[in-house]
């Protein structure tokens, strides 16, 4: 199975007041050509589809036009997209049922049942190969906000954010392992800001959230 992973498209972004739609169109054309020429089986997009929580209509049109193009050109292509810290969880989730009818998986936020238990069903997506058989499972965890977290059993000194994120990933990956057969892979996809990361010297702006949301890399290794 061939998987193409990408992230941080930031559709709708303006660079110092200049619209970048032409650049984004060029990127999406390149991506579509790459998927075709490399005979990709699954496209995974790890967040920040848009640059802001309220992107312009033209950015939504870009996204939907591109997804429609891929589905028309590659009927069997698996597509899994998650929300990032720049995206609006509710707006990404709004067309979920419609997109699911076209076998497109767009996950903007996590959800819980009436008893507060994490609903892992829509966060675990089967990825099928050309033979139609499930070759892998994708644990698609969107950017986790403080309101998403309900950590249990916090000890004195434990960080609520770090422990809450760890428990979400632990629950999703545990369920994923239970579903995986010995010949199937489990792929974890998320969107997070990690401690000790380096900012580009040419970055136009500071990373949203900064150190307040920095997570230790070993958190994900432990999950």
């Amino acid at each position: 199975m061939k998987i193409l992973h990408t992230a941080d498209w930031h559709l709708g972004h303006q660079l110092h007041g200049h619209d970048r739609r032409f650049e984004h169109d060029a990127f999406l054309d390149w991506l579509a050509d790459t998927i075709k020429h490399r005979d990709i089986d699954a496209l995974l997009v790890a967040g920040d589809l848009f640059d802001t929580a309220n992107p312009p209509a033209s950015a939504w049109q870009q996204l939907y036009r591109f997804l429609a193009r891929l589905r028309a050109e590659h009927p069997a292509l698996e597509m899994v997209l998650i929300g990032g810290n720049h995206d609006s969880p509710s707006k990404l989730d709004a067309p979920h049922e419609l997109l699911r009818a076209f076998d497109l998986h767009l996950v903007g936020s996590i959800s819980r049942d009436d008893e507060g238990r994490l609903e892992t069903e829509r966060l675990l997506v089967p990825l099928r190969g050309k033979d139609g058989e499930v070759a892998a499972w994708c644990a698609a965890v969107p950017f986790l906000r403080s309101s998403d977290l309900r950590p249990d059993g916090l000890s004195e000194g434990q960080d609520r954010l770090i422990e809450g994120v760890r428990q979400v990933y632990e629950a999703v990956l545990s369920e994923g392992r239970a579903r995986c057969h010995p010949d199937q892979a489990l792929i974890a996809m998320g969107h997070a800001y990690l401690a000790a990361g380096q900012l580009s010297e040419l970055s136009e702006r500071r990373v949203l959230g900064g150190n307040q949301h920095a997570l230790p890399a070993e958190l994900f290794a432990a999950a």
Side-chain angles (χ1 to χ4, degrees):
M1 173 174 237
K2 291 185 178 180
I3 297 173
L4 192 155
H5 163 255
T6 176
D8 295 272
W9 293 357
H10 288 269
L11 301 180
H13 179 242
Q14 292 192 350
L15 183 62
H16 299 297
H18 295 280
D19 184 77
R20 302 185 65 196
R21 185 172 181 178
F22 174 81
E23 295 172 74
H24 283 128
D25 278 337
F27 161 71
L28 294 175
D29 286 340
W30 170 86
L31 184 58
D33 289 342
T34 300
I35 290 171
K36 177 181 179 180
H37 294 313
R38 298 206 176 189
D39 197 21
I40 298 298
D41 297 302
L43 172 66
L44 307 183
V45 187
D48 281 354
L49 304 175
F50 299 110
D51 191 57
T52 67
N54 294 295
S58 59
W60 284 101
Q61 291 169 353
Q62 268 189 317
L63 175 64
Y64 289 145
R65 188 180 297 117
F66 179 68
L67 296 179
R69 171 185 176 181
L70 290 185
R71 179 52 71 233
E73 295 178 354
H74 310 280
L77 178 68
E78 299 283 5
M79 288 183 267
V80 185
L81 305 86
I82 61 172
N85 56 299
H86 282 249
D87 298 312
S88 165
S90 59
K91 290 180 180 178
L92 289 189
D93 280 338
H96 172 72
E97 294 303 323
L98 175 62
L99 294 178
R100 191 173 182 181
F102 294 93
D103 203 24
L104 295 167
H105 302 272
L106 179 55
V107 183
S109 63
I110 63 172
S111 57
R112 297 180 184 274
D113 62 20
D114 293 338
E115 297 182 6
R117 290 174 299 210
L118 181 67
E119 296 179 327
T120 59
E121 181 67 28
R122 64 188 293 255
L123 303 180
L124 289 164
V125 182
L127 303 179
R128 301 179 185 278
K130 291 181 176 58
D131 58 1
E133 298 296 321
V134 176
W137 288 84
C138 178
V141 182
F143 178 73
L144 298 172
R145 292 166 170 80
S146 181
S147 58
D148 295 322
L149 309 176
R150 301 181 187 179
D152 294 325
L154 278 180
S155 302
E156 185 176 353
Q158 278 190 308
D159 185 280
R160 179 184 180 278
L161 174 67
I162 293 175
E163 183 61 18
V165 171
R166 186 193 66 77
Q167 290 183 14
V168 169
Y169 274 91
E170 188 176 68
V172 176
L173 294 179
S174 177
E175 178 63 24
R177 293 187 188 99
R179 297 188 184 200
C180 276
H181 294 167
D183 60 342
Q184 296 172 344
L186 177 59
I187 302 168
M189 179 169 66
H191 189 99
Y193 175 59
L194 300 183
Q198 294 183 348
L199 293 179
S200 168
E201 293 182 1
L202 300 179
S203 180
E204 180 192 9
R205 60 194 175 196
R206 294 184 62 81
V207 174
L208 181 64
N211 289 326
Q212 180 184 359
H213 296 286
L215 302 168
E218 57 267 23
L219 179 152
F220 300 98

